[in-house]
Amino acid sequence: EMSTKRDRKTYSSVTRMKVFDCIVHHVPTSDIPDLIQQFANRSGEILDYVPHRNTIELMACELGAIAELQTAEMLIANENVTLGFDATTQEGTHVNSIHFTTRDECLSGAVDELPGGTAKDYANHITQTVDNLAETMPIFINWTRKDVSRQERV
């Protein structure tokens, strides 16, 4: 029997990476538990636990939180950052990406569906993204939002 959890509570990094691989390849979260079980069966493994769909969806949210933290850290660590955005409409859905670029890297701040493609829609999306990143940093490093705002002015 192969253990998929550490301390009987937390899924192992191997199990989490299998989930993340499925998410990155657009596997519906409802199908991931069955796929993990099928892959184990095909390789002769017996799993003690397979994550349920709601656990998998929480893992997907973790990826977003990690990406937000990385972007917020990059913004605070660099004096010169360029904000850019790019939008497209696919199958009637308008999607906008906000990204931040330094001399050495480019990180995404958000990729969201917008109601339309007006200047107001883009301005609101940019503002919401920056506000969200300003709220993300304090959670991880014990700052208040006031501390983050002060950093932005320095």
Side-chain angles (χ1 to χ4, degrees), residues 88-147:
T88 188
T89 301
Q90 294 178 334
E91 299 175 12
T93 302
H94 194 72
V95 177
N96 190 49
S97 164
I98 310 266
H99 51 275
F100 300 92
T101 307
T102 67
R103 191 179 77 162
D104 300 319
E105 62 186 332
C106 181
L107 296 177
S108 174
V111 178
D112 293 303
E113 183 177 335
L114 298 184
T118 67
K120 184 176 181 177
D121 292 328
Y122 295 129
N124 285 340
H125 190 221
I126 290 167
T127 301
Q128 289 170 353
T129 299
V130 172
D131 285 349
N132 188 47
L133 291 170
E135 291 169 3
T136 297
M137 259 328 254
I139 294 168
F140 290 98
I141 62 171
N142 262 349
W143 279 3
T144 65
R145 183 170 174 142
K146 187 176 179 182
D147 293 328

Side-chain angles (χ1 to χ4, degrees), residues 4-136:
T4 56
K5 287 186 176 184
R6 290 178 292 141
D7 65 31
R8 301 181 64 107
K9 293 180 184 177
T10 308
Y11 281 97
S12 68
S13 56
V14 170
T15 302
R16 296 170 84 75
M17 290 308 296
K18 289 176 183 177
V19 169
F20 295 158
D21 287 342
C22 289
I23 291 167
V24 166
H25 288 90
H26 308 289
V27 175
T29 56
S30 59
D31 294 342
I32 294 174
D34 290 338
L35 267 178
I36 289 173
Q37 186 64 60
Q38 285 177 351
F39 290 146
N41 292 346
R42 291 183 200 283
S43 48
E45 298 171 345
I46 298 171
L47 302 178
D48 56 355
Y49 298 98
V50 175
H52 293 278
R53 179 181 184 174
N54 56 347
T55 303
I56 287 168
E57 290 172 353
L58 288 171
M59 289 180 191
C61 289
E62 287 174 5
L63 287 175
I66 291 167
E68 284 179 8
L69 176 61
Q70 288 174 330
T71 302
E73 286 177 329
M74 185 259 284
L75 289 171
I76 297 236
N78 288 278
E79 230 176 85
N80 297 307
V81 179
T82 301
L83 181 147
F85 64 96
D86 188 27
T88 188
T89 301
Q90 294 178 334
E91 299 175 12
T93 302
H94 194 72
V95 177
N96 190 49
S97 164
I98 310 266
H99 51 275
F100 300 92
T101 307
T102 67
R103 191 179 77 162
D104 300 319
E105 62 186 332
C106 181
L107 296 177
S108 174
V111 178
D112 293 303
E113 183 177 335
L114 298 184
T118 67
K120 184 176 181 177
D121 292 328
Y122 295 129
N124 285 340
H125 190 221
I126 290 167
T127 301
Q128 289 170 353
T129 299
V130 172
D131 285 349
N132 188 47
L133 291 170
E135 291 169 3
T136 297

